[in-house]
Amino acid sequence: MIETFATPFRSLGRIASDLLFPPICTGCGVGVSQPGGLCPSCWTELRFIERPFCDVLCTPFSFDPGDGTVSADAIADPPPFERLRAVVLYDDRARRLVSALKYSDRLDLVPLMAAWMARAGRDLLDEADVIVPVPLHRMRLWRRQFNQAAELGRRIAAARGLPFAASALVRVKATRSQVGLRRSQRQSNVRGAFRLSPAGGAAIAGRRVLLVDDVFTTGATASSATKALKRAGAASVDVLTFARVAAFEG
């Protein structure tokens, strides 16, 4: 009986909230019909990654070479992780979404981005034993107050009922921002940047780990974190990100 009376009041509360704070597009701020959605303009500007793509690096193919095909880049320079999946290509609209989350405290973007990531990485999630976020250095975390990779990973883990090892991996090197660095500089910047926390080994050893981050560019960060996880005994490491660059030069 309590539920019967409470439900109409909750509905009225939602209506009042929508009148006072109408839902807006998470990408540009224009009015939309549902909270946490995108307007048609922002939706069409995002370049979603759909098959066919490289089964290892998630690089889109211009034609369908068949399931399980690996790109020339993945063959010539195999990454230490097994597979990468990403939702969109990292263009201007995707960059604005990521920047809003990271630098403008737009935590309202997390449910939408995490849901898309869970869909894009469903084959990885089906095999994962534990989800681990790429960590921030403690000084950067203190300045930003939250780790966007951890927020995304926590949401995905909860939705799929998977263990979430938020602090298993630690960033021990205060690396400079990767923005603007050449490939070799990015690799040097994050070399030796990660290690397992004292309690992290128990969560990682023998497990199939899904490493979560917001953006994949050259793969330097994901590779460095993967090597730390494998040194700690991870059985395998896959990587799931919101966006990945189409190609990286330099």
Side-chain angles (χ1 to χ4, degrees), residues 18 25 28 37 53 62 64 103 123 144 149 151 154 156 161-162 168 178 191 198 200 214 233 235 240 243 246 248:
D18 287 346
C25 171
C28 67
F53 55 71
S62 57
D64 190 354
Y103 306 120
D123 56 335
R144 196 177 292 172
E151 296 301 321
R154 183 178 292 107
I156 295 167
L162 286 168
Q178 297 277 68
R191 188 174 295 119
D214 55 349
L240 177 60
F248 188 90

Side-chain angles (χ1 to χ4, degrees), residues 124-140:
L124 309 187
L125 285 160
D126 286 344
E127 300 178 12
D129 295 319
V130 60
I131 293 180
V132 175
V134 171
L136 294 177
H137 187 267
R138 62 182 182 276
M139 293 305 296
R140 187 167 293 173

